[in-house]
Amino acid sequence: MTLIGAELSTVEAGVIEIRLPFRSDLTQQDGFLHAGIITTIADSAAGYAAYTMMPAASRVLSVEFKVNLMRPARGETFVARAEVVKSGRTLSVVRADVFAISGKGEKEVVATMQGTMMCLV
Amino acid sequence: MTLIGAELSTVEAGVIEIRLPFRSDLTQQDGFLHAGIITTIADSAAGYAAYTMMPAASRVLSVEFKVNLMRPARGETFVARAEVVKSGRTLSVVRADVFAISGKGEKEVVATMQGTMMCLV
Amino acid sequence: MTLIGAELSTVEAGVIEIRLPFRSDLTQQDGFLHAGIITTIADSAAGYAAYTMMPAASRVLSVEFKVNLMRPARGETFVARAEVVKSGRTLSVVRADVFAISGKGEKEVVATMQGTMMCLV
Amino acid sequence: MTLIGAELSTVEAGVIEIRLPFRSDLTQQDGFLHAGIITTIADSAAGYAAYTMMPAASRVLSVEFKVNLMRPARGETFVARAEVVKSGRTLSVVRADVFAISGKGEKEVVATMQGTMMCLV
């Protein structure tokens, strides 16, 4: 998160937002945010979101996730918003959307993730 | 790829390997390679692998991928090896495994990806 | 759909619901609705939902989907509700939830799907 | 499995094959095997494959799976072949391919699955 310049912007029970300002060294060959970076912020948001519902002494681990890249990720800021769909004792299912926000404040969803997080106690 | 220090190590028709030396700023909270970085090299390898089967003037786009994280990603080097399962005119299906290689040369699969790449002409 | 006794219950632009009454021959070893049947109604709802946004002469094809099974699928009726997240010229992304409804009318989400549908013209 | 006429054809440690003869009531609108049926045999094979590596008194549960449908599923027989990629104490990762076999014995992969199975003790 530090390496790419991302930061937590919302923390609620079961909901996390991570904000990432655009940086040209995070892009792929066409100048859009790289799919791996999109996944990094989506997965981090998803993990933290699941973690907000877990016992205090536990740790969270990503089991798996699936990402659909829906539009070229171009914008001045990117926001990954994760929401817990089902919080279980061992496994949780989380959904995360990644939005691109233009200089004029226009917001467009560019990717969506569905994944499984594990609680380790 | 440049940002994280990854490089192409194998290029064949339908097969690509990308190699990434360990760096502590690419880890998550427990010191293992971050899932987003694992995905970055797997997705890049998958995209290039699909691209080796596409017409010269085309571009390749990741449509979606799914990653299972199977073991803590600890090692001195990481290798993402992608192989095309089905190369279609518009869509290709690619599988990629990510291996962790220890200082002693022991190799262990830490993640596996299944994804869809699109050919744009 | 006929084989398993499922029927369309809602048809709107970008939204489809399919309803399936419980039948004991659609269960797995523990008496819950089989994951394959859950997927059948979710995928059908997802395909139809994408299709409602496509040109009249086109056909729809499932490219891929990912399903999380979140609770044992026990109930008197099951409903798959699909909603289009992004409708594109060639590819559409659809999300579908499958709910179990008890005899008393209690509704619980048992599975969630994220998938890609293709428009063939 | 009984409803659709599928049967186990191979059982080894970590490997399962399920065989399904074509039946016209298992097809979708174009006459090909329905994606839900493909998933049913792939998921069953994947679950059994994981189960061959689990302790005797345990049960197996599908956590999630992702399926890529790569070719129209037309054939006289269909075979789902599942192989365990990583067998863990709680979670296992399994890959399954579904093949269509023509009357002349030609074999073509039509779908591929990557999924997570859970061991309940």
Side-chain angles (χ1 to χ4, degrees), chain A residues 14 42 45-46 49 81-86 93-97 112-115, chain C residues 70 95-97 109 111-114:
Chain A
R81 181 185 174 81
E83 221 163 309
V84 175
V85 178
K86 161 78 163 59
V93 177
V94 185
R95 191 171 287 155
D97 291 317
T112 189
M113 172 189 274
Q114 184 177 309
Chain C
M70 298 187 290
R95 192 171 286 154
D97 291 316
V109 62
T112 189
M113 173 188 273
Q114 184 177 309

Side-chain angles (χ1 to χ4, degrees), chain A residues 64-71 85-86 92-93 95-97 109 112-116, chain C residues 64-71 85-86 92-93 95-97 109 112-116:
Chain A
E64 60 81 33
F65 46 71
K66 184 252 200 283
V67 178
N68 274 80
L69 303 156
M70 299 187 290
R71 285 187 184 87
V85 178
K86 161 78 163 59
S92 295
V93 177
R95 191 171 287 155
D97 291 317
V109 63
T112 189
M113 172 189 274
Q114 184 177 309
T116 309
Chain C
E64 59 82 34
F65 46 71
K66 184 253 201 279
V67 179
N68 274 80
L69 303 156
M70 298 187 290
R71 284 187 185 88
V85 178
K86 162 77 164 59
S92 295
V93 177
R95 192 171 286 154
D97 291 316
V109 62
T112 189
M113 173 188 273
Q114 184 177 309
T116 309

Side-chain angles (χ1 to χ4, degrees), chain C residues 27 34 37 53-54 64 80 95 105 111 113 118:
Chain C
T27 59
H34 193 286
I37 305 296
M53 314 290 279
M54 293 178 183
E64 59 82 34
R95 192 171 286 154
M113 173 188 273
M118 191 172 192

Side-chain angles (χ1 to χ4, degrees), chain B residues 11-61:
Chain B
V11 183
E12 291 168 35
V15 181
I16 288 285
E17 279 190 18
I18 287 178
R19 185 169 283 267
L20 174 75
F22 176 83
R23 254 174 44 188
S24 61
D25 61 350
L26 303 177
T27 59
Q28 36 78 289
Q29 70 275 16
D30 302 309
F32 307 130
L33 196 67
H34 193 284
I37 304 296
I38 293 174
T39 302
T40 301
I41 58 172
D43 171 51
S44 295
Y48 285 129
Y51 187 58
T52 62
M53 315 291 278
M54 293 178 182
S58 60
R59 287 184 310 133
V60 63
L61 215 69

